[in-house]
Amino acid sequence: MAVSVLPQMKQAPEMNPVERLMAATAADMARVNDLILDRARSHVDMVPELARYLIDSGGKRLRPMLTVAAAILFGRGQGHAVNFAAAVEFMHNATLLHDDVVDESDMRRGKPAARMVWGNKASILVGDFLLGQAFMMMVETGDIEALGVLSAASAVMAEGEVFQLAKTGDLETSAADYAEVIRAKTAVLFEAACAVGAMSGGADAAGRKALALYGLELGNAFQLVDDALDYGGQSGTLGKNVGDDLREGKMTLPVILALEAASDSERAIIASALGKPDATDLEVHQVVAIFNRYDTLRRTLDKARDHAKAAIAALDSLPDSEMKTILADVVQHSVSRAS
Amino acid sequence: MAVSVLPQMKQAPEMNPVERLMAATAADMARVNDLILDRARSHVDMVPELARYLIDSGGKRLRPMLTVAAAILFGRGQGHAVNFAAAVEFMHNATLLHDDVVDESDMRRGKPAARMVWGNKASILVGDFLLGQAFMMMVETGDIEALGVLSAASAVMAEGEVFQLAKTGDLETSAADYAEVIRAKTAVLFEAACAVGAMSGGADAAGRKALALYGLELGNAFQLVDDALDYGGQSGTLGKNVGDDLREGKMTLPVILALEAASDSERAIIASALGKPDATDLEVHQVVAIFNRYDTLRRTLDKARDHAKAAIAALDSLPDSEMKTILADVVQHSVSRAS
């Protein structure tokens, strides 16, 4: 039965869940990728050069795959998933371009960040262009309800980034503040990607709600794992250096939990390295030693697993299918990255 | 008759056309301003602080007034003009925030630019927030056609800014390149502002087309005048310093026309000052002397007047009304700034 719905999927038990998701969405994702390349075109050469440098840089395209997968889960319906998926990827890439400028990041996905090649100015403006193109692709669907979901996500994401910026280096940042930051800057786009996929697949209100919650909780889990990995020494995998968040003064859960428990002298060690761009590896290791003393990386990953469970539970009410199994397994896989 | 349509408008022959436009749109603009303040709100304090600093900094709100005026011209119709006007102003302010980062501008409307108070990072992110909020306000109208006009404008504006950036300091920039830059970065938003106003006023296809062309040509004239004034010594009025464009390497029409006509030694003088942030006033004056030799500022303003005529002619097909007279007079006024 699954084979007839997903003819392009080979029975390959050795594939991991993300690979299975890729196989199960391959036909629609080929159209999404064509649309992405088409809409990154411009008579201004710098626009497609910069956009494609980022877009082709080996990201998994998890968010648009979730949009397509959600549509397939509900039987595809009116078939606007391709437009929404491309729009979601453009929104994500616009955010990456602006974030790299804001964070002064040198690297992205193991390559020099676009801003290191074309400069901050072009990164800001091409980000704006991608956002405009994303909205044009949404408008073409004529689906005003889905447009509302994605435009709200766009505003909330920016608000979340400002909140994170305002909290940079703020030792009083609470776990609740952090939960709000990751919800807004990361989870809301996962939520919107899944919701508009479900909508274009013809889901009823309960189905949309289930997929939106699935996306939200997957996004929360995803960001918590990322924030634990930033201190986890998996630099090669993530294309990021260990301790980047510390040097940028980002108040992520491992540091918030450590500050809650730390002695005055430990607090001083953390405060001294936090937001110090040239903090040495030794300083980072001293901070990680404090994290280990209070088990804050494990507690961060426990929190990620709680969200992962909630994501999987959100799918409970839906009828069993091959795609439902894949979506649940993708959640498991995303938290297993850090174990 | 005009008095019954526009009860808030006093007979005051001493008012200039922009003041008459303000009076004629005052009732709707009060609602636009309330909406702007409401939608700049956020639980993240920095968002409304920064947004209101810019929004309240004494801009004339010409673009949203044009939206409201266009709706009134056609009889108001479904009454979505208030949402579209606020969205247009948010789009404009988002662009200003990003432009000031890109241009490294210190001042805006005679005050320190927002980026000098809150930093580049916050300016980028609050710009993104305003853009997201703009789209949410558009979505609330349910008018997918108008959404298409504004989202297309959003992408084209960013593309125009990238084009301008790519041409920075490029001595081979042509007058046609310049025409494309000002169309995309400035005129297209005037065009969209007028078009969606006409649409929400219930205009037929010919009326929409007339107002769109009016806006486009007004925008072209407006930017040409601005670019002439940048060399015109009206620093106090514009809140900009004479020669800013030269120091930023911006290829505006006065410099393009001068390079076309210049001797090798004159060309060398222009090339030396162009894009040199610390070019002295003497260097700027030497360049302006070359402009005067080839009459390039007057020729730039002649071009502005051509566009102004085209803007007024675009209104020809519409029935006479008080608002039509005001819109025509606003065009005249905008080019008279520089004479």
Side-chain angles (χ1 to χ4, degrees), chain A residues 42-43 98 102 104 121-122 125 128-129 133 135-136 144 147-148 152 155 158-159 162 165 180, chain B residues 42-43 98 102 104 121-122 125 128-129 133 135-136 139 144 147-148 152 155 158-159 162 165 180:
Chain A
S42 165
H43 70 94
H98 288 185
V102 169
E104 298 169 20
K121 299 174 181 186
L125 297 173
D128 291 348
F129 172 77
Q133 292 291 79
F135 278 98
M136 284 185 70
I144 198 88
L147 244 161
E159 202 174 24
V162 180
L165 180 65
E180 172 53 22
Chain B
S42 165
H43 69 93
H98 288 186
V102 169
E104 299 170 18
K121 298 174 182 188
L125 297 172
D128 291 347
F129 173 78
Q133 291 291 79
F135 278 98
M136 285 185 70
V139 166
I144 198 90
L147 243 161
E159 202 175 23
V162 179
L165 180 66
E180 171 54 22

mmCIF file of all heavy atoms in Angstrom, chain A residues 42-43 98 102 104 121-122 125 128-129 133 135-136 144 147-148 152 155 158-159 162 165 180, chain B residues 42-43 98 102 104 121-122 125 128-129 133 135-136 139 144 147-148 152 155 158-159 162 165 180:
data_model
loop_
_atom_site.group_PDB
_atom_site.id
_atom_site.type_symbol
_atom_site.label_atom_id
_atom_site.label_comp_id
_atom_site.label_asym_id
_atom_site.label_seq_id
_atom_site.Cartn_x
_atom_site.Cartn_y
_atom_site.Cartn_z
ATOM 1 N N SER A 42 17.380 36.654 -11.500
ATOM 2 C CA SER A 42 17.245 38.110 -11.507
ATOM 3 C C SER A 42 18.127 38.658 -12.605
ATOM 4 O O SER A 42 19.143 38.051 -12.958
ATOM 5 C CB SER A 42 17.677 38.675 -10.151
ATOM 6 O OG SER A 42 17.890 40.069 -10.248
ATOM 7 N N HIS A 43 17.745 39.803 -13.153
ATOM 8 C CA HIS A 43 18.627 40.455 -14.122
ATOM 9 C C HIS A 43 19.850 41.045 -13.428
ATOM 10 O O HIS A 43 20.822 41.426 -14.079
ATOM 11 C CB HIS A 43 17.872 41.547 -14.893
ATOM 12 C CG HIS A 43 17.521 42.734 -14.059
ATOM 13 N ND1 HIS A 43 18.315 43.860 -13.973
ATOM 14 C CD2 HIS A 43 16.489 42.948 -13.217
ATOM 15 C CE1 HIS A 43 17.768 44.724 -13.138
ATOM 16 N NE2 HIS A 43 16.660 44.207 -12.669
ATOM 17 N N HIS A 98 20.413 37.045 7.010
ATOM 18 C CA HIS A 98 20.384 38.143 7.987
ATOM 19 C C HIS A 98 21.034 37.719 9.311
ATOM 20 O O HIS A 98 21.754 38.506 9.926
ATOM 21 C CB HIS A 98 18.948 38.619 8.197
ATOM 22 C CG HIS A 98 18.412 39.381 7.016
ATOM 23 N ND1 HIS A 98 17.185 39.988 7.006
ATOM 24 C CD2 HIS A 98 18.949 39.647 5.799
ATOM 25 C CE1 HIS A 98 16.989 40.588 5.839
ATOM 26 N NE2 HIS A 98 18.037 40.377 5.089
ATOM 27 N N VAL A 102 23.990 39.441 11.497
ATOM 28 C CA VAL A 102 23.758 39.831 12.887
ATOM 29 C C VAL A 102 24.754 39.139 13.829
ATOM 30 O O VAL A 102 25.294 39.757 14.753
ATOM 31 C CB VAL A 102 22.296 39.516 13.292
ATOM 32 C CG1 VAL A 102 22.099 39.651 14.784
ATOM 33 C CG2 VAL A 102 21.337 40.449 12.542
ATOM 34 N N GLU A 104 27.631 37.971 12.971
ATOM 35 C CA GLU A 104 28.993 38.111 12.440
ATOM 36 C C GLU A 104 29.633 36.740 12.202
ATOM 37 O O GLU A 104 30.818 36.522 12.483
ATOM 38 C CB GLU A 104 29.851 38.969 13.369
ATOM 39 C CG GLU A 104 29.295 40.394 13.500
ATOM 40 C CD GLU A 104 29.947 41.213 14.610
ATOM 41 O OE1 GLU A 104 31.057 40.867 15.037
ATOM 42 O OE2 GLU A 104 29.328 42.209 15.054
ATOM 43 N N LYS A 121 26.314 43.902 3.079
ATOM 44 C CA LYS A 121 25.271 44.685 2.416
ATOM 45 C C LYS A 121 24.467 43.817 1.465
ATOM 46 O O LYS A 121 23.231 43.816 1.486
ATOM 47 C CB LYS A 121 25.914 45.842 1.647
ATOM 48 C CG LYS A 121 26.667 46.803 2.536
ATOM 49 C CD LYS A 121 27.413 47.852 1.737
ATOM 50 C CE LYS A 121 28.166 48.774 2.699
ATOM 51 N NZ LYS A 121 28.792 49.898 1.974
ATOM 52 N N ALA A 122 25.186 43.069 0.607
ATOM 53 C CA ALA A 122 24.491 42.214 -0.345
ATOM 54 C C ALA A 122 23.692 41.136 0.385
ATOM 55 O O ALA A 122 22.596 40.768 -0.048
ATOM 56 C CB ALA A 122 25.492 41.580 -1.308
ATOM 57 N N LEU A 125 20.387 42.632 1.544
ATOM 58 C CA LEU A 125 19.463 42.962 0.452
ATOM 59 C C LEU A 125 18.973 41.712 -0.273
ATOM 60 O O LEU A 125 17.797 41.636 -0.649
ATOM 61 C CB LEU A 125 20.130 43.933 -0.521
ATOM 62 C CG LEU A 125 20.510 45.296 0.091
ATOM 63 C CD1 LEU A 125 21.324 46.120 -0.894
ATOM 64 C CD2 LEU A 125 19.268 46.061 0.545
ATOM 65 N N ASP A 128 16.308 40.257 1.736
ATOM 66 C CA ASP A 128 15.042 40.963 1.503
ATOM 67 C C ASP A 128 14.396 40.504 0.197
ATOM 68 O O ASP A 128 13.173 40.339 0.109
ATOM 69 C CB ASP A 128 15.279 42.478 1.438
ATOM 70 C CG ASP A 128 15.662 43.062 2.790
ATOM 71 O OD1 ASP A 128 15.514 42.358 3.801
ATOM 72 O OD2 ASP A 128 16.113 44.224 2.825
ATOM 73 N N PHE A 129 15.222 40.320 -0.825
ATOM 74 C CA PHE A 129 14.707 39.858 -2.118
ATOM 75 C C PHE A 129 14.062 38.472 -1.980
ATOM 76 O O PHE A 129 12.947 38.247 -2.482
ATOM 77 C CB PHE A 129 15.853 39.808 -3.140
ATOM 78 C CG PHE A 129 15.483 39.177 -4.452
ATOM 79 C CD1 PHE A 129 14.743 39.875 -5.394
ATOM 80 C CD2 PHE A 129 15.862 37.876 -4.751
ATOM 81 C CE1 PHE A 129 14.393 39.296 -6.607
ATOM 82 C CE2 PHE A 129 15.523 37.285 -5.958
ATOM 83 C CZ PHE A 129 14.785 37.991 -6.884
ATOM 84 N N GLN A 133 10.236 37.413 -2.798
ATOM 85 C CA GLN A 133 9.908 36.322 -3.726
ATOM 86 C C GLN A 133 9.070 35.244 -3.019
ATOM 87 O O GLN A 133 8.183 34.648 -3.637
ATOM 88 C CB GLN A 133 11.181 35.686 -4.284
ATOM 89 C CG GLN A 133 11.978 36.584 -5.219
ATOM 90 C CD GLN A 133 11.269 36.824 -6.545
ATOM 91 O OE1 GLN A 133 10.351 37.642 -6.634
ATOM 92 N NE2 GLN A 133 11.682 36.117 -7.570
ATOM 93 N N PHE A 135 6.908 35.714 -0.685
ATOM 94 C CA PHE A 135 5.518 36.182 -0.616
ATOM 95 C C PHE A 135 4.845 36.122 -1.983
ATOM 96 O O PHE A 135 3.667 35.791 -2.087
ATOM 97 C CB PHE A 135 5.450 37.584 0.002
ATOM 98 C CG PHE A 135 5.486 37.536 1.495
ATOM 99 C CD1 PHE A 135 6.663 37.750 2.196
ATOM 100 C CD2 PHE A 135 4.345 37.215 2.207
ATOM 101 C CE1 PHE A 135 6.709 37.663 3.577
ATOM 102 C CE2 PHE A 135 4.367 37.131 3.592
ATOM 103 C CZ PHE A 135 5.559 37.355 4.278
ATOM 104 N N MET A 136 5.604 36.397 -3.034
ATOM 105 C CA MET A 136 5.008 36.294 -4.367
ATOM 106 C C MET A 136 4.571 34.849 -4.668
ATOM 107 O O MET A 136 3.504 34.622 -5.240
ATOM 108 C CB MET A 136 5.990 36.769 -5.429
ATOM 109 C CG MET A 136 6.099 38.282 -5.450
ATOM 110 S SD MET A 136 7.151 38.856 -6.783
ATOM 111 C CE MET A 136 6.108 38.479 -8.194
ATOM 112 N N ILE A 144 -5.306 32.600 0.908
ATOM 113 C CA ILE A 144 -5.077 33.703 1.848
ATOM 114 C C ILE A 144 -4.863 33.188 3.276
ATOM 115 O O ILE A 144 -4.121 33.783 4.063
ATOM 116 C CB ILE A 144 -6.242 34.730 1.780
ATOM 117 C CG1 ILE A 144 -5.854 36.080 2.388
ATOM 118 C CG2 ILE A 144 -7.495 34.191 2.425
ATOM 119 C CD1 ILE A 144 -5.225 37.011 1.410
ATOM 120 N N LEU A 147 -1.331 32.067 3.561
ATOM 121 C CA LEU A 147 -0.529 33.293 3.561
ATOM 122 C C LEU A 147 -0.496 33.929 4.946
ATOM 123 O O LEU A 147 0.527 34.447 5.384
ATOM 124 C CB LEU A 147 -1.136 34.286 2.574
ATOM 125 C CG LEU A 147 -0.281 34.665 1.387
ATOM 126 C CD1 LEU A 147 -1.139 35.250 0.291
ATOM 127 C CD2 LEU A 147 0.800 35.653 1.784
ATOM 128 N N GLY A 148 -1.620 33.882 5.618
ATOM 129 C CA GLY A 148 -1.684 34.417 6.975
ATOM 130 C C GLY A 148 -0.767 33.666 7.924
ATOM 131 O O GLY A 148 -0.064 34.268 8.743
ATOM 132 N N ALA A 152 2.503 35.618 9.473
ATOM 133 C CA ALA A 152 2.614 35.700 10.936
ATOM 134 C C ALA A 152 3.931 35.092 11.392
ATOM 135 O O ALA A 152 4.634 35.656 12.247
ATOM 136 C CB ALA A 152 1.431 34.989 11.600
ATOM 137 N N ALA A 155 6.832 37.556 10.884
ATOM 138 C CA ALA A 155 6.935 38.616 11.898
ATOM 139 C C ALA A 155 7.440 38.055 13.231
ATOM 140 O O ALA A 155 8.296 38.657 13.887
ATOM 141 C CB ALA A 155 5.588 39.303 12.078
ATOM 142 N N ALA A 158 11.242 37.323 13.246
ATOM 143 C CA ALA A 158 12.071 38.526 13.398
ATOM 144 C C ALA A 158 12.014 39.023 14.840
ATOM 145 O O ALA A 158 13.038 39.414 15.419
ATOM 146 C CB ALA A 158 11.592 39.615 12.439
ATOM 147 N N GLU A 159 10.818 38.987 15.418
ATOM 148 C CA GLU A 159 10.638 39.399 16.812
ATOM 149 C C GLU A 159 11.500 38.515 17.738
ATOM 150 O O GLU A 159 12.141 39.007 18.676
ATOM 151 C CB GLU A 159 9.152 39.253 17.163
ATOM 152 C CG GLU A 159 8.672 40.064 18.315
ATOM 153 C CD GLU A 159 7.140 39.920 18.455
ATOM 154 O OE1 GLU A 159 6.577 38.901 17.990
ATOM 155 O OE2 GLU A 159 6.527 40.827 19.024
ATOM 156 N N VAL A 162 15.077 39.565 17.535
ATOM 157 C CA VAL A 162 15.323 40.798 18.298
ATOM 158 C C VAL A 162 15.373 40.473 19.796
ATOM 159 O O VAL A 162 16.232 40.992 20.522
ATOM 160 C CB VAL A 162 14.235 41.869 18.040
ATOM 161 C CG1 VAL A 162 14.531 43.131 18.863
ATOM 162 C CG2 VAL A 162 14.151 42.238 16.567
ATOM 163 N N LEU A 165 18.613 39.017 20.575
ATOM 164 C CA LEU A 165 19.632 40.074 20.551
ATOM 165 C C LEU A 165 19.577 40.896 21.842
ATOM 166 O O LEU A 165 20.615 41.206 22.440
ATOM 167 C CB LEU A 165 19.383 40.981 19.334
ATOM 168 C CG LEU A 165 20.335 42.151 19.124
ATOM 169 C CD1 LEU A 165 21.745 41.657 18.823
ATOM 170 C CD2 LEU A 165 19.836 43.041 17.978
ATOM 171 N N GLU A 180 10.910 31.052 24.877
ATOM 172 C CA GLU A 180 10.245 31.978 23.958
ATOM 173 C C GLU A 180 11.131 32.273 22.745
ATOM 174 O O GLU A 180 10.637 32.315 21.607
ATOM 175 C CB GLU A 180 9.882 33.270 24.706
ATOM 176 C CG GLU A 180 9.358 34.403 23.842
ATOM 177 C CD GLU A 180 8.183 34.017 22.932
ATOM 178 O OE1 GLU A 180 7.483 33.029 23.224
ATOM 179 O OE2 GLU A 180 8.003 34.708 21.898
ATOM 180 N N SER B 42 5.111 45.160 20.531
ATOM 181 C CA SER B 42 5.729 43.848 20.680
ATOM 182 C C SER B 42 6.035 43.645 22.149
ATOM 183 O O SER B 42 6.269 44.616 22.885
ATOM 184 C CB SER B 42 7.025 43.780 19.876
ATOM 185 O OG SER B 42 7.801 42.666 20.268
ATOM 186 N N HIS B 43 6.061 42.387 22.601
ATOM 187 C CA HIS B 43 6.488 42.119 23.976
ATOM 188 C C HIS B 43 7.998 42.322 24.117
ATOM 189 O O HIS B 43 8.527 42.377 25.224
ATOM 190 C CB HIS B 43 6.099 40.693 24.390
ATOM 191 C CG HIS B 43 6.881 39.635 23.679
ATOM 192 N ND1 HIS B 43 8.040 39.080 24.179
ATOM 193 C CD2 HIS B 43 6.692 39.050 22.476
ATOM 194 C CE1 HIS B 43 8.516 38.189 23.332
ATOM 195 N NE2 HIS B 43 7.720 38.146 22.287
ATOM 196 N N HIS B 98 17.035 49.091 6.609
ATOM 197 C CA HIS B 98 18.064 48.289 5.934
ATOM 198 C C HIS B 98 18.996 49.173 5.108
ATOM 199 O O HIS B 98 20.210 48.951 5.093
ATOM 200 C CB HIS B 98 17.407 47.201 5.087
ATOM 201 C CG HIS B 98 16.794 46.106 5.907
ATOM 202 N ND1 HIS B 98 16.258 44.961 5.366
ATOM 203 C CD2 HIS B 98 16.653 45.974 7.247
ATOM 204 C CE1 HIS B 98 15.803 44.187 6.339
ATOM 205 N NE2 HIS B 98 16.019 44.787 7.484
ATOM 206 N N VAL B 102 23.053 49.496 5.049
ATOM 207 C CA VAL B 102 23.808 49.259 3.817
ATOM 208 C C VAL B 102 24.650 50.492 3.443
ATOM 209 O O VAL B 102 25.804 50.368 3.045
ATOM 210 C CB VAL B 102 22.845 48.862 2.670
ATOM 211 C CG1 VAL B 102 23.556 48.879 1.325
ATOM 212 C CG2 VAL B 102 22.253 47.479 2.939
ATOM 213 N N GLU B 104 25.620 52.778 5.476
ATOM 214 C CA GLU B 104 26.370 53.258 6.656
ATOM 215 C C GLU B 104 26.020 54.708 6.966
ATOM 216 O O GLU B 104 26.884 55.512 7.332
ATOM 217 C CB GLU B 104 27.882 53.077 6.431
ATOM 218 C CG GLU B 104 28.251 51.608 6.237
ATOM 219 C CD GLU B 104 29.695 51.383 5.776
ATOM 220 O OE1 GLU B 104 30.500 52.311 5.939
ATOM 221 O OE2 GLU B 104 29.992 50.299 5.258
ATOM 222 N N LYS B 121 22.499 45.547 14.002
ATOM 223 C CA LYS B 121 21.817 44.260 14.145
ATOM 224 C C LYS B 121 20.327 44.464 14.390
ATOM 225 O O LYS B 121 19.484 43.856 13.736
ATOM 226 C CB LYS B 121 22.447 43.476 15.306
ATOM 227 C CG LYS B 121 23.913 43.161 15.083
ATOM 228 C CD LYS B 121 24.539 42.508 16.300
ATOM 229 C CE LYS B 121 26.030 42.250 16.025
ATOM 230 N NZ LYS B 121 26.632 41.444 17.102
ATOM 231 N N ALA B 122 20.024 45.333 15.369
ATOM 232 C CA ALA B 122 18.617 45.580 15.687
ATOM 233 C C ALA B 122 17.908 46.217 14.499
ATOM 234 O O ALA B 122 16.735 45.933 14.229
ATOM 235 C CB ALA B 122 18.507 46.464 16.926
ATOM 236 N N LEU B 125 16.946 43.482 12.032
ATOM 237 C CA LEU B 125 15.899 42.579 12.519
ATOM 238 C C LEU B 125 14.560 43.295 12.682
ATOM 239 O O LEU B 125 13.505 42.715 12.384
ATOM 240 C CB LEU B 125 16.337 41.932 13.841
ATOM 241 C CG LEU B 125 17.586 41.051 13.717
ATOM 242 C CD1 LEU B 125 18.053 40.605 15.101
ATOM 243 C CD2 LEU B 125 17.331 39.849 12.823
ATOM 244 N N ASP B 128 13.013 43.526 9.386
ATOM 245 C CA ASP B 128 12.357 42.264 9.034
ATOM 246 C C ASP B 128 11.001 42.137 9.737
ATOM 247 O O ASP B 128 10.023 41.661 9.148
ATOM 248 C CB ASP B 128 13.241 41.067 9.438
ATOM 249 C CG ASP B 128 14.501 40.972 8.583
ATOM 250 O OD1 ASP B 128 14.569 41.648 7.548
ATOM 251 O OD2 ASP B 128 15.408 40.202 8.969
ATOM 252 N N PHE B 129 10.958 42.561 10.982
ATOM 253 C CA PHE B 129 9.698 42.514 11.740
ATOM 254 C C PHE B 129 8.634 43.392 11.082
ATOM 255 O O PHE B 129 7.481 42.970 10.906
ATOM 256 C CB PHE B 129 9.950 42.966 13.184
ATOM 257 C CG PHE B 129 8.703 43.121 14.000
ATOM 258 C CD1 PHE B 129 8.053 42.017 14.523
ATOM 259 C CD2 PHE B 129 8.165 44.386 14.248
ATOM 260 C CE1 PHE B 129 6.885 42.161 15.282
ATOM 261 C CE2 PHE B 129 7.005 44.534 14.995
ATOM 262 C CZ PHE B 129 6.366 43.424 15.516
ATOM 263 N N GLN B 133 5.015 42.297 9.618
ATOM 264 C CA GLN B 133 3.771 42.935 10.065
ATOM 265 C C GLN B 133 3.017 43.549 8.886
ATOM 266 O O GLN B 133 1.785 43.527 8.851
ATOM 267 C CB GLN B 133 4.071 44.017 11.109
ATOM 268 C CG GLN B 133 4.570 43.497 12.445
ATOM 269 C CD GLN B 133 3.497 42.756 13.219
ATOM 270 O OE1 GLN B 133 3.196 41.601 12.955
ATOM 271 N NE2 GLN B 133 2.905 43.417 14.183
ATOM 272 N N PHE B 135 2.942 42.431 5.842
ATOM 273 C CA PHE B 135 2.240 41.356 5.142
ATOM 274 C C PHE B 135 1.036 40.872 5.940
ATOM 275 O O PHE B 135 -0.003 40.550 5.370
ATOM 276 C CB PHE B 135 3.198 40.212 4.809
ATOM 277 C CG PHE B 135 3.976 40.492 3.562
ATOM 278 C CD1 PHE B 135 5.262 41.002 3.608
ATOM 279 C CD2 PHE B 135 3.392 40.296 2.320
ATOM 280 C CE1 PHE B 135 5.964 41.305 2.452
ATOM 281 C CE2 PHE B 135 4.080 40.581 1.150
ATOM 282 C CZ PHE B 135 5.375 41.088 1.222
ATOM 283 N N MET B 136 1.153 40.859 7.267
ATOM 284 C CA MET B 136 -0.006 40.452 8.066
ATOM 285 C C MET B 136 -1.177 41.416 7.872
ATOM 286 O O MET B 136 -2.332 40.998 7.773
ATOM 287 C CB MET B 136 0.368 40.362 9.545
ATOM 288 C CG MET B 136 1.187 39.122 9.843
ATOM 289 S SD MET B 136 1.499 38.927 11.602
ATOM 290 C CE MET B 136 -0.149 38.507 12.180
ATOM 291 N N VAL B 139 -2.732 40.657 4.576
ATOM 292 C CA VAL B 139 -3.480 39.395 4.599
ATOM 293 C C VAL B 139 -4.855 39.610 5.216
ATOM 294 O O VAL B 139 -5.855 39.046 4.760
ATOM 295 C CB VAL B 139 -2.688 38.308 5.370
ATOM 296 C CG1 VAL B 139 -3.573 37.117 5.689
ATOM 297 C CG2 VAL B 139 -1.461 37.872 4.565
ATOM 298 N N ILE B 144 -6.277 39.309 -2.282
ATOM 299 C CA ILE B 144 -5.082 38.620 -2.790
ATOM 300 C C ILE B 144 -4.451 39.384 -3.961
ATOM 301 O O ILE B 144 -3.236 39.355 -4.147
ATOM 302 C CB ILE B 144 -5.436 37.162 -3.179
ATOM 303 C CG1 ILE B 144 -4.162 36.298 -3.274
ATOM 304 C CG2 ILE B 144 -6.239 37.093 -4.462
ATOM 305 C CD1 ILE B 144 -3.787 35.637 -2.011
ATOM 306 N N LEU B 147 -2.389 42.131 -2.541
ATOM 307 C CA LEU B 147 -1.230 41.480 -1.936
ATOM 308 C C LEU B 147 -0.177 41.167 -2.984
ATOM 309 O O LEU B 147 1.030 41.283 -2.738
ATOM 310 C CB LEU B 147 -1.680 40.178 -1.270
ATOM 311 C CG LEU B 147 -1.506 40.101 0.229
ATOM 312 C CD1 LEU B 147 -2.392 39.003 0.788
ATOM 313 C CD2 LEU B 147 -0.067 39.847 0.610
ATOM 314 N N GLY B 148 -0.635 40.739 -4.155
ATOM 315 C CA GLY B 148 0.293 40.456 -5.244
ATOM 316 C C GLY B 148 1.052 41.693 -5.676
ATOM 317 O O GLY B 148 2.271 41.646 -5.893
ATOM 318 N N ALA B 152 5.104 41.866 -4.987
ATOM 319 C CA ALA B 152 5.980 42.064 -6.147
ATOM 320 C C ALA B 152 6.836 43.313 -5.938
ATOM 321 O O ALA B 152 8.044 43.306 -6.204
ATOM 322 C CB ALA B 152 5.152 42.195 -7.423
ATOM 323 N N ALA B 155 9.816 42.558 -3.629
ATOM 324 C CA ALA B 155 10.940 41.855 -4.264
ATOM 325 C C ALA B 155 11.701 42.776 -5.207
ATOM 326 O O ALA B 155 12.940 42.789 -5.223
ATOM 327 C CB ALA B 155 10.430 40.621 -5.012
ATOM 328 N N ALA B 158 14.011 45.283 -3.363
ATOM 329 C CA ALA B 158 15.261 44.686 -2.884
ATOM 330 C C ALA B 158 16.219 44.450 -4.051
ATOM 331 O O ALA B 158 17.420 44.715 -3.954
ATOM 332 C CB ALA B 158 14.965 43.378 -2.157
ATOM 333 N N GLU B 159 15.668 43.973 -5.161
ATOM 334 C CA GLU B 159 16.474 43.743 -6.370
ATOM 335 C C GLU B 159 17.116 45.069 -6.830
ATOM 336 O O GLU B 159 18.294 45.101 -7.210
ATOM 337 C CB GLU B 159 15.544 43.190 -7.451
ATOM 338 C CG GLU B 159 16.195 42.433 -8.562
ATOM 339 C CD GLU B 159 15.124 41.833 -9.488
ATOM 340 O OE1 GLU B 159 13.985 42.356 -9.525
ATOM 341 O OE2 GLU B 159 15.435 40.845 -10.171
ATOM 342 N N VAL B 162 20.016 45.893 -4.644
ATOM 343 C CA VAL B 162 21.197 45.076 -4.974
ATOM 344 C C VAL B 162 21.845 45.614 -6.249
ATOM 345 O O VAL B 162 23.079 45.701 -6.343
ATOM 346 C CB VAL B 162 20.837 43.586 -5.160
ATOM 347 C CG1 VAL B 162 22.087 42.775 -5.519
ATOM 348 C CG2 VAL B 162 20.193 43.013 -3.905
ATOM 349 N N LEU B 165 23.792 48.580 -5.437
ATOM 350 C CA LEU B 165 25.014 48.167 -4.734
ATOM 351 C C LEU B 165 26.053 47.637 -5.722
ATOM 352 O O LEU B 165 27.235 47.980 -5.648
ATOM 353 C CB LEU B 165 24.649 47.095 -3.704
ATOM 354 C CG LEU B 165 25.787 46.515 -2.862
ATOM 355 C CD1 LEU B 165 26.384 47.583 -1.946
ATOM 356 C CD2 LEU B 165 25.279 45.333 -2.027
ATOM 357 N N GLU B 180 16.721 52.248 -14.246
ATOM 358 C CA GLU B 180 16.229 50.988 -13.683
ATOM 359 C C GLU B 180 16.363 50.980 -12.154
ATOM 360 O O GLU B 180 15.463 50.530 -11.442
ATOM 361 C CB GLU B 180 16.993 49.810 -14.308
ATOM 362 C CG GLU B 180 16.756 48.452 -13.679
ATOM 363 C CD GLU B 180 15.283 48.063 -13.602
ATOM 364 O OE1 GLU B 180 14.463 48.606 -14.368
ATOM 365 O OE2 GLU B 180 14.947 47.225 -12.730
#
